[in-house]
Amino acid sequence: MTVSVATLTGTEAQIDEESLEELRMMVRGDVLTRNDPGYAAVRRPYNAMHPGTPSLVVRPTGTADVVVAVNFARSRGLVVAVRGGGHSIAGLSSVDGGMLLDLGRMDGVDVDPDARTVRAQGGALIGDMDHETQAFGLVAPSGIVSDTGVAGLTLGGGEGWVRRKYGLSVDNLLSAQVVGADGQVRTASADSNPDLFWALRGGGGNFGVVTSFTFRCHPVGPIVAFAGVFHPAEDAENVYPRFRDWAQSAPDEISALIGCTTLPASENTPPEIHNRPFIVTGALYTGDPLEGMKIIQPLREIGTPLADISGPLPFVAVQAAFDEFYQRGTLRSYWKSTYVEELTDPVLDLLVDRALNRPHDRVFVVAFQMGGAINRVGAQATPYSERSANWMVSIDGNWLDASDDDRVISWFATHGPGCTR
Ligand SMILES: Cc1cc2nc3c(=O)[nH]c(=O)nc-3n(C[C@H](O)[C@H](O)[C@H](O)COP(=O)(O)OP(=O)(O)OC[C@H]3O[C@@H](n4cnc5c(N)ncnc54)[C@H](O)[C@@H]3O)c2cc1C
């Protein structure tokens, strides 16, 4: 059978059975066309707006397979999408008609506890990495949803619960192994291909296929102090300023957020918050859990919460605490964010307005506390150049039905994070 695959010049390459067979012989992983039974079972992307319908899927098991796949694609001029964890909001996790290089089988993680480093393959998820590092009481700074890919997250910066104490993922990246479009394997680090190393730390992708990342780790957990407090949305005008006042004097050991959304009933969330708009305040303390519980106590004393899941908790549980907000392959998503110097009163007014007037229940209006170690890195040191703001405001537009696409997306033009009224 011949398979048509989109090329970079807008034509279709005809890949005959013999070439496919050759590719199958050369890779240890999977080579799948739409007729193969395994095709439908490939992990879906997060954003249901962009499922993608690749003509050809290669699922490598290691760097050697990636080299073969890249050479195969280059020699035929194929359009290629590279998928790590599949969490691209912009629709870069897949491709229509082209070749998908899905690294999902490359999810290995190795910790060197003496050197305090971890090496994660290009298809590992944050949850895979935390599982291994936490066995040694270590953490490599990443994100806050366990299902996100280490690869795309790192290539874009990587903001997680330890960001103010230990920085972003890119600030802790020591080296990466990269297969270039020329099929050559390179190590990128401060000493080896430093330009490539610079680009990988926030440049967003398209500098080659990263087959592994090596990060510096830090001692955090396995138990950490965590605040997770849920308030009725009607209390916004009290909760937001009190959260802001607490957060702006918190030490770097604290990374905090405040957000507003509505979630359906689930056994993973407190029943008190089901199907009603709520505000959540969250904070993690990276040091001694008992000391941390004292520092987060004022957050727990704001107003009359609907529910409070705070406590000394396993770090891996904290890393999954927001998983329920985001379900892979079901939510349609369009997100926008911006940085703000401080949560001044006018900024808070805008935040509260957006929180209370979301265009869909599932939209999450959230402010992440930044600063600390993030801002101690020079603006030119990495492509992640925003190193002065103390907050990032994101409106995570999530909804369920395609019939809402236009309405929700056009709302951003007048009410998105860049809009000042
Ligand atoms: C539910 C959710 C929660 C999120 N939470 C956070 C968070 O807490 N902190 C944060 O910083 N960000 C967060 N993000 C943003 C996330 O980091 C980016 O969307 C990121 O690009 C996802 O990476 P991925 O590997 O899962 O996605 P993918 O769709 O697989 O990849 C994203 C981009 O990276 C490229 N890429 C992926 N793997 C490789 C590779 N191995 N080599 C070369 N290029 C590659 C892809 O081609 C694509 O351009 C979140 C996103 C979602 C949807």
Side-chain angles (χ1 to χ4, degrees), residues 396-419:
D396 298 355
N398 301 311
W399 64 100
L400 293 161
D401 295 321
S403 59
D404 285 325
D405 288 1
D406 289 345
R407 187 179 62 77
V408 178
I409 291 171
S410 60
W411 179 90
F412 277 82
T414 47
H415 295 80
C419 303

Side-chain angles (χ1 to χ4, degrees), residues 227-248:
V229 190
F230 301 88
H231 300 268
E234 307 88 74
D235 289 355
E237 289 187 4
N238 177 37
V239 175
Y240 275 80
R242 289 189 58 190
F243 165 82
R244 182 265 321 268
D245 294 347
W246 171 82
Q248 63 189 12

Side-chain angles (χ1 to χ4, degrees), residues 82 84-88 93 103 143-144 149 151-153 155 158-159 208 210 326 335:
V82 180
H87 264 210
S88 168
S93 312
L103 304 193
I144 69 163
L153 175 124
L155 295 170
E159 300 117 18
V210 183
Y326 307 97
W335 297 8

Side-chain angles (χ1 to χ4, degrees), residues 43-68:
R43 187 163 65 194
R44 290 182 291 179
Y46 166 79
N47 191 347
M49 280 185 84
H50 304 290
T53 49
S55 295
L56 182 62
V57 179
V58 179
R59 305 190 74 224
T61 57
T63 301
D65 282 2
V66 173
V67 170
V68 171

